[in-house]
Amino acid sequence: MNILVIEDEPNVAAFIRKGLQEQSYEVDVVHDGLSGKRHALRKDYDLIILDIILPGCSGLEVCRDIRQDNPLVPILMLTALGTTDDVVTGLNAGADDYLTKPFKFKELQARVLALLRRSNLSQESSQLQVADLTMNLNAKTVHRAGREIKLTAKEFALLEYFIRNKGRVLSRIDLLENVWELNFDLNSNVVEVYVNYLRNKIDKDFDCKLLHTVIGMGYVLKEESQ
């Protein structure tokens, strides 16, 4: 697990780093807001521990910028300011939890474990996958073999329904009722058009095809070997 600590007080930063490293975490430490922002946006961290009062730019600003780029990474905010308004401000900036200085390492450790556990559960429940095709429901992203695939909102919804029903042949009526949720004219070719759009994006540049036509019955998402 990789953790980024953004803390301008050297003694506090060293205390946190030592305790986390003893728990077998990989820890990077930076001492100002601008450096913290650069590190957070350049490398994937499992958790960020962020002080509010920082030189360069405030922890609140750093938190907001990180959240715009990465909505999923857990952020634990540290501060000497412990009023209800301060807590609310930090949480509204995008922090997941808030710890007031001074604190004991056991308390920090408990917060870290809780945030990592919650993050892992959230990511597991938000990830759908077939073969090397992955969909993140929270981030609204799709990747195949590590390559990002850009989809429209309707294409994303169609692919999600296919993945949730992988291996099952879906008729045009199934797709119209569950993806469009409208009573289209049965003569409409909207399903065929969108399946073709989707196939061009997720299959065209890959040897292993996932989206197949079952003549006279509909479509199925599965690996070719299945």
Side-chain angles (χ1 to χ4, degrees), residues 21 135 152 205:
Q21 287 178 335
M135 169 178 278
T152 65
D205 297 327

Side-chain angles (χ1 to χ4, degrees), residues 144-155:
R144 181 148 191 209
R147 183 193 308 177
E148 185 172 8
I149 297 172
K150 299 289 187 181
L151 300 179
T152 65
K154 186 57 67 179
E155 290 166 351

Side-chain angles (χ1 to χ4, degrees), residues 36 62 146:
V62 174

Side-chain angles (χ1 to χ4, degrees), residues 147-165:
R147 183 193 308 177
E148 185 172 8
I149 297 172
K150 299 289 187 181
L151 300 179
T152 65
K154 186 57 67 179
E155 290 166 351
F156 189 93
L158 179 60
L159 180 59
E160 179 182 351
Y161 189 69
F162 270 122
I163 296 178
R164 290 189 183 277
N165 292 275

Side-chain angles (χ1 to χ4, degrees), residues 14 112 131 164 209:
V112 167
R164 290 189 183 277
K209 308 306 180 186

Side-chain angles (χ1 to χ4, degrees), residues 101-112:
K101 299 177 182 177
F103 54 84
K104 294 182 179 180
F105 182 76
K106 283 186 177 181
E107 184 177 5
L108 174 69
Q109 181 184 12
R111 302 290 183 97
V112 167

